[in-house]
Amino acid sequence: MSASHNGCTILWEGQHPNPLLKDLERAELGHSGVHVKMLAAPINPADINMIQGTYALLPDLPAVGGNEGVGQVVEVGSHVTSLKPGDWVVPADAELGTWRTDAVFSEETLVKLPRDIPLLCAATLSVNPCTAYRMLTDFETLGPGDSIIQNAANSGVGQAVIQIAAALGIKTINVIRDRPNLQEVVDRLMSLGAEHVLTEEMLRKPEMKDLFKKVPKPRLALNCVGGKSATEMLRHIQQKGTMVTYGGMAKQPLTVPVSAFIFKDVKLRGFWMTQWKKDQAQSKLKVISVGK
Ligand SMILES: NC(=O)c1ccc[n+]([C@@H]2O[C@H](COP(=O)([O-])OP(=O)(O)OC[C@H]3O[C@@H](n4cnc5c(N)ncnc54)[C@H](OP(=O)(O)O)[C@@H]3O)[C@@H](O)[C@H]2O)c1
């Protein structure tokens, strides 16, 4: 049997001991293939949702899991011009299937990376830091001294938000869940550049007023959790501010106080990196066709 996946034909034969699993053979290199050895690939919440079948993007089966990771080019076909053996590459898009030892991919599904960044940063570069950067820049025009608020601030995305915001001079108010080693997590986030780190419970306390004597009310809230956590963040957002939802870790719907719409005119938006990439690919095509 065979199936086409991201431009590579994958083949399998015989019966795997687990009937739900298949052994795949590596595709031929051909003229335009790129043989990549995977070096490291993370497990992201979206990968799990994909396996559960609850994600908005579901590959045809059989499929290889993993949407992110870094690999090293072993060999390239004679028509490949942008990559050479030894290069580090990451997926250009979701659904590449990075949880494998090696594979032959097509050139356009890979993006070359500089080799002077740590391996684990390279393996986790293409989803969370990009999401953090887009959310900080696409919804509100923020400058040095402005503030943002975010929940799940210790998540991969949250830590990227803290670091990018700090580099832009934007102050971050970071909300995390309480835990036995709270101080350790607070110290870690502060060392990354967080301005304030609070627990979900602290967010509901009247002392929040004191915090807003030191830092301006946020114009942007980044919601990874949903449920009560999002409602509480909305209470602290500035007039006409925006809350961007990009994750639903609590699996609870958003509850928005009517007053937030009437008296504050808040904006509720969503963000999905995969859609952003698709939209950008479309707009590039339009520019090319207008140019012609
Ligand atoms: N929309 C997009 O384009 C986009 C891009 C990247 C990521 N995401 C989404 O962003 C989310 C975080 O991804 P990540 O890779 O940064 O995850 P991660 O590093 O695994 O972190 C998960 C975070 O979720 C928190 N969490 C887990 N269960 C929770 C619950 N029931 N209530 C409140 N908080 C909870 C964890 O807090 P504790 O430490 O307290 O457990 C942690 O802060 C996921 O939903 C992912 O799908 C979306």
Side-chain angles (χ1 to χ4, degrees):
M1 292 172 80
S2 76
S4 178
H5 183 67
N6 289 303
C8 305
T9 301
I10 50 182
L11 304 169
W12 67 93
E13 311 181 304
Q15 189 73 34
H16 195 281
N18 180 337
L20 293 176
L21 299 178
K22 304 274 180 198
D23 288 320
L24 305 183
E25 273 179 28
R26 199 172 64 235
E28 293 294 320
L29 186 66
H31 290 301
S32 49
V34 181
H35 179 197
V36 176
K37 178 179 73 167
M38 289 309 298
L39 299 176
I43 301 171
N44 285 330
D47 301 320
I48 305 293
N49 297 151
M50 214 175 227
I51 293 166
Q52 289 168 329
T54 57
Y55 202 59
L57 205 60
L58 298 176
D60 294 334
L61 297 175
V64 177
N67 291 292
E68 195 180 27
V70 64
Q72 185 161 34
V73 175
V74 178
E75 195 182 1
V76 299
S78 56
H79 294 174
V80 173
T81 53
S82 64
L83 296 169
K84 59 178 188 321
D87 284 346
W88 276 11
V89 287
V90 295
D93 225 327
E95 286 193 289
L96 193 66
T98 54
W99 296 347
R100 50 177 136 199
T101 49
D102 68 328
V104 170
F105 297 117
S106 53
E107 192 178 4
E108 70 278 4
T109 63
L110 302 167
V111 174
K112 183 175 158 177
L113 277 195
R115 292 256 325 243
D116 58 354
I117 53 177
L119 183 77
L120 293 187
C121 294
T124 53
L125 188 68
S126 50
V127 178
N128 290 343
C130 299
T131 300
Y133 180 75
R134 295 267 50 109
M135 294 195 300
L136 283 170
T137 53
D138 290 357
F139 294 91
E140 289 283 346
T141 309
L142 300 169
D146 285 334
S147 78
I148 66 115
I149 188 165
Q150 64 164 342
N151 54 20
N154 61 323
S155 67
V157 176
Q159 292 183 52
V161 164
I162 291 171
Q163 293 169 83
I164 296 168
L168 297 171
I170 299 164
K171 298 174 194 295
T172 53
I173 302 165
N174 299 282
V175 184
I176 57 174
R177 293 198 287 185
D178 201 3
R179 65 199 69 223
N181 67 336
L182 179 65
Q183 195 54 48
E184 202 181 297
V185 179
V186 172
D187 291 346
R188 167 153 173 72
L189 299 186
M190 296 298 273
S191 75
L192 293 179
E195 184 84 10
H196 297 282
V197 183
L198 323 166
T199 61
E200 301 268 356
E201 292 71 28
M202 287 156 133
L203 203 56
R204 292 184 209 122
K205 296 254 164 79
E207 290 81 37
M208 284 299 287
K209 279 194 183 130
D210 298 333
L211 182 124
F212 292 121
K213 288 177 189 156
K214 294 181 236 160
V215 63
K217 285 213 165 201
R219 289 233 303 280
L220 181 68
L222 303 178
N223 172 34
C224 173
V225 176
K228 277 188 187 155
S229 174
T231 312
E232 291 301 329
M233 286 205 303
L234 261 182
R235 292 190 203 287
H236 300 294
I237 206 169
Q238 256 186 45
Q239 191 85 7
K240 294 186 189 296
T242 303
M243 182 165 81
V244 180
T245 294
Y246 69 96
M249 295 302 300
K251 299 192 188 329
Q252 296 290 324
L254 295 181
T255 307
V256 181
V258 170
S259 58
F261 282 124
I262 300 177
F263 302 123
K264 276 194 174 173
D265 192 12
V266 296
K267 296 183 281 296
L268 300 186
R269 300 286 306 274
F271 180 79
W272 189 29
M273 194 68 224
T274 304
Q275 188 61 45
W276 184 90
K277 283 187 187 169
K278 277 189 197 151
D279 293 346
Q280 297 311 303
Q282 287 293 329
S283 63
K284 262 188 222 153
L285 281 178
K286 273 187 214 144
V287 171
I288 291 165
S289 60
V290 168
K292 275 183 181 170

